[in-house]
Amino acid sequence: MTPKRSEQRAFLMDLIQKLNWRYATKKMDAAKTVPQDKVERILETARLAPTSSGLQPYEIIVVTNPDVRAKIKPVAWGQGQITDCSHLLVFAAWDDYTPARINMMFDLTNSERGTANEGWEDYRKMLLTSYPPRGPEVNFQHAARQAYIGLGVALIAAAFEEVDSTPMEGFDPNAVDEILNLRPRGLRSVALLPLGYREEDKDWLVKLKKVRRSHDNFITEVK
């Protein structure tokens, strides 16, 4: 095994260890703050996450304001992580695929690459023809699935940074949208991700064994 391959394997083994370390933290230490450089790296991994057609149809709202988080907590089943965490990430998907949004991403790609080609422009036309007519709800659900890809990547990055996190669907999206004024921006909240540090002596889940289905019960190989 070459040194480079050995380093890659060591990196992946370290990542797997950290994924075993992470869990959905139930009690976070409100006195501890995640360093901003760690937060920025977690956000950057989510920004670089893949999305369908490269449209990036979601945004991440980072909430540190204690008053705003206090408003969100009651509409998130009173979960303490909302106010005890260091940073609250709100993943908010586009409420629709509009021609303006599709064109914005294609124009950005052409600008960044300094070129355009017939195949790419044909693909743009295909999306413009097929996506908007599907209707806002179908398009929102598709965009929400893209947001979940970013959520998953952020969870992995947080574990790598040894930052605790808790993915949450247990909240009233309409209420969160209103608190954060998302609807006027064409966004709808789909998931919350508090980032912080566990308070081990007050978290009932921290010492429980991580349970996952076995490799054979989870993975099927088709040869």
Side-chain angles (χ1 to χ4, degrees), residues 14-192:
D14 183 42
L15 178 59
I16 289 171
Q17 286 182 341
K18 288 178 177 178
L19 289 174
N20 273 303
W21 166 83
R22 77 150 301 277
Y23 71 107
T25 307
K26 301 304 180 186
K27 184 66 177 74
M28 291 183 171
D29 189 340
K32 293 183 178 179
T33 301
V34 179
Q36 190 60 32
D37 62 326
K38 287 180 177 281
V39 175
E40 291 299 330
R41 285 193 292 270
I42 293 167
L43 292 170
E44 182 67 359
T45 63
R47 189 183 72 86
L48 294 173
T51 57
S52 179
S53 300
L55 292 176
Q56 285 187 288
Y58 67 94
E59 297 181 19
I60 302 173
I61 294 86
V62 183
V63 185
T64 55
N65 185 299
D67 294 333
V68 175
R69 291 194 290 174
K71 292 178 182 178
I72 294 174
K73 183 177 178 179
V75 300
W77 299 356
Q79 296 177 87
Q81 303 97 314
I82 299 295
T83 49
D84 290 342
C85 71
S86 171
H87 297 70
L88 177 64
L89 310 189
V90 180
F91 287 74
W94 288 354
D95 60 2
D96 197 3
Y97 286 111
T98 64
R101 282 170 160 168
I102 293 170
N103 282 323
M104 178 268 293
M105 287 305 299
F106 274 80
D107 291 344
L108 174 63
T109 299
N110 289 342
S111 175
E112 289 293 310
R113 292 175 177 171
T115 184
N117 61 71
E118 184 178 355
W120 181 242
E121 290 305 316
D122 286 345
Y123 190 63
R124 181 206 296 253
K125 293 175 184 175
M126 186 272 288
L127 292 187
L128 288 170
T129 301
S130 60
Y131 273 28
R134 299 186 307 188
E137 186 58 30
V138 170
N139 286 332
F140 164 69
Q141 294 298 335
H142 183 272
R145 290 194 291 273
Q146 311 314 304
Y148 274 97
I149 297 173
L151 174 68
V153 171
L155 281 165
I156 294 171
F160 187 78
E161 293 284 352
E162 295 187 338
V163 171
D164 287 303
S165 62
T166 307
M168 292 180 174
E169 289 183 310
F171 66 97
D172 181 344
N174 292 327
V176 170
D177 293 351
E178 183 174 351
I179 291 168
L180 296 177
N181 198 34
L182 296 181
R183 294 298 178 98
R185 296 173 56 188
L187 298 170
R188 293 170 59 181
S189 56
V190 297
L192 307 180

Side-chain angles (χ1 to χ4, degrees), residues 19-20 22-24 209-215 217-218:
L19 289 174
N20 273 303
R22 77 150 301 277
Y23 71 107
K209 180 181 179 181
K210 182 184 286 289
V211 178
R212 296 291 188 271
R213 289 157 57 188
S214 69
H215 180 282
N217 189 247
F218 185 70

